[in-house]
Amino acid sequence: MLWSYKVQELELMEVTGLTVYPIKSTRAIPLERAHVTLRGFEHDRRWLLTDENGKFITQRQYPVLATVVTSIVDGGLQITRPETESLRVSTPSAGAYSATVTVWKDDCHALDAGDDAAQWFSDFLNMKCRLFYQPEQSIRSTDARYSKPEDHTSFADGFPFLLTNEASLADLNQRLTDTVSMSRFRPNIVVSGQQPYEEDTWSVIKVGDITFRAAKPCSRCVMTTVNPETGEKEGREPLFTLAQYRRTEMGVIFGQNLIPDQEGMIRVGDKVTIME
């Protein structure tokens, strides 16, 4: 009877949110359904801003990037920001100028999105920068300590997918004076977990028809203190409170990094099953 009860509980777990971020560190796009590829959701973090030396730029240095809104359009992106004309950017062709960009310690092949995009973002951030795209032939391997040799990802921080648990956020918010939304943690997949932080213990899960391996818990940083609506840092929370009870040898953790074993479609409302 105990075994049956546990199975029944797991059947109640489902996907409650799906999100992509076409340009790394810009505002999220919520979706009702999303196509899983081996490097992440289709369109997720395939674009990257860099400084003039090719080093990646994020909200860690420029929190105002949270106010940049992207829309996926035929052949590229439509990009807007407050009080400025929007920008239409075409996905660079194979013959576009290519360069090596740096994301953390990884050097990646990328295609330049052109001078108009570079000027638009340079004016916004008041610094020289460029916008790049990751083409299909650019393979950025994941950390070999937590993955297989063939695993790879986009311009995400380290792994193809980040999953968070609504129960974990509820537990955190009980400890905060001012509650925060899940958007602070920039997940790709949100689930209605039964217990706070149970995602720490998962090894293999199935979301709809797609199987994912849990790579490692996600280490959190100062980006969690950025208000995703205003693009402003708001003190030390929620990172300060998280650090009081979620600090590990991997840092302050919240959420689970995932690697898919196949491609396909997942949807809000899909059942989530813990396989291992």
Side-chain angles (χ1 to χ4, degrees), residues 46-64:
R46 295 295 293 273
W47 303 76
L48 178 75
L49 284 164
T50 76
D51 63 18
E52 58 186 330
N53 297 313
K55 184 177 180 180
F56 77 128
I57 292 171
T58 74
Q59 289 181 32
R60 296 171 181 86
Q61 308 98 337
Y62 299 94
V64 73

Side-chain angles (χ1 to χ4, degrees), residues 16-21 25-30 45 59 63 65-67 162-166 169-170 172-173 179-190 220-232 234 237-238 254:
T16 58
L18 299 170
T19 311
V20 295
Y21 312 81
S25 249
T26 58
R27 185 165 294 182
I29 300 178
R45 297 178 174 97
Q59 289 181 32
L65 284 171
T67 66
L162 173 62
L163 176 147
T164 56
N165 174 0
E166 287 186 343
L169 180 65
L172 170 62
N173 276 330
T179 62
V180 297
S181 68
M182 191 68 87
S183 57
R184 292 283 184 125
F185 299 96
R186 300 177 67 80
N188 297 111
I189 303 170
V190 182
R220 311 316 307 210
C221 70
V222 70
M223 275 182 62
T224 59
T225 68
V226 176
N227 184 316
E229 298 301 319
T230 66
E232 298 176 343
E234 296 184 338
E237 296 292 6
F254 187 94

Side-chain angles (χ1 to χ4, degrees), residues 135-146:
E136 288 297 318
Q137 63 269 29
S138 177
I139 301 299
R140 179 180 170 226
S141 298
T142 52
D143 191 326
R145 292 174 296 174
Y146 308 102

Side-chain angles (χ1 to χ4, degrees), residues 1-253:
M1 291 298 294
L2 179 60
W3 179 84
S4 298
Y5 175 72
K6 288 184 176 181
V7 170
Q8 186 177 8
E9 276 198 326
L10 294 179
E11 288 176 351
L12 297 175
M13 196 181 304
E14 66 178 25
V15 175
T16 58
L18 299 170
T19 311
V20 295
Y21 312 81
I23 302 175
K24 184 178 178 69
S25 249
T26 58
R27 185 165 294 182
I29 300 178
L31 301 173
E32 288 297 312
R33 51 184 282 177
H35 180 224
V36 174
T37 77
L38 295 182
R39 75 178 75 204
F41 278 141
E42 184 179 19
H43 304 298
D44 187 51
R45 297 178 174 97
R46 295 295 293 273
W47 303 76
L48 178 75
L49 284 164
T50 76
D51 63 18
E52 58 186 330
N53 297 313
K55 184 177 180 180
F56 77 128
I57 292 171
T58 74
Q59 289 181 32
R60 296 171 181 86
Q61 308 98 337
Y62 299 94
V64 73
L65 284 171
T67 66
V68 175
V69 178
T70 57
S71 302
I72 300 164
V73 297
D74 188 31
L77 298 177
Q78 189 81 15
I79 308 170
T80 60
R81 59 181 172 84
E83 301 177 357
T84 305
E85 288 188 11
S86 64
L87 173 72
R88 177 74 175 261
V89 180
S90 297
T91 303
S93 64
Y97 172 74
S98 64
T100 298
V101 299
T102 303
V103 182
W104 296 115
K105 296 180 180 181
D106 297 331
D107 291 331
C108 315
H109 167 68
L111 300 177
D112 191 281
D115 291 339
D116 288 347
Q119 190 63 55
W120 195 89
F121 278 104
S122 295
D123 291 344
F124 178 45
L125 298 178
N126 195 29
M127 64 166 290
K128 289 184 178 181
C129 58
R130 306 291 300 186
L131 180 65
F132 287 92
Y133 176 76
Q134 183 190 49
E136 288 297 318
Q137 63 269 29
S138 177
I139 301 299
R140 179 180 170 226
S141 298
T142 52
D143 191 326
R145 292 174 296 174
Y146 308 102
S147 57
K148 298 177 181 179
E150 66 270 21
D151 292 332
H152 59 285
T153 189
S154 62
F155 290 135
D157 273 354
F159 296 92
F161 293 89
L162 173 62
L163 176 147
T164 56
N165 174 0
E166 287 186 343
S168 302
L169 180 65
D171 179 83
L172 170 62
N173 276 330
Q174 288 179 350
R175 304 164 188 263
L176 297 174
T177 301
D178 298 313
T179 62
V180 297
S181 68
M182 191 68 87
S183 57
R184 292 283 184 125
F185 299 96
R186 300 177 67 80
N188 297 111
I189 303 170
V190 182
V191 301
S192 57
Q194 301 300 305
Q195 299 295 327
Y197 317 111
E198 63 180 301
E199 62 274 17
D200 295 353
T201 66
W202 299 343
S203 296
V204 180
I205 70 169
K206 192 172 185 180
V207 181
D209 296 324
I210 308 298
T211 301
F212 295 86
R213 285 170 279 130
K216 64 179 288 291
C218 183
S219 304
R220 311 316 307 210
C221 70
V222 70
M223 275 182 62
T224 59
T225 68
V226 176
N227 184 316
E229 298 301 319
T230 66
E232 298 176 343
K233 289 184 179 178
E234 296 184 338
R236 299 185 295 173
E237 296 292 6
L239 188 61
F240 177 78
T241 294
L242 267 179
Q244 306 309 305
Y245 70 107
R246 296 287 292 165
R247 186 178 295 279
T248 72
E249 61 183 11
M250 292 180 285
V252 179
I253 60 173

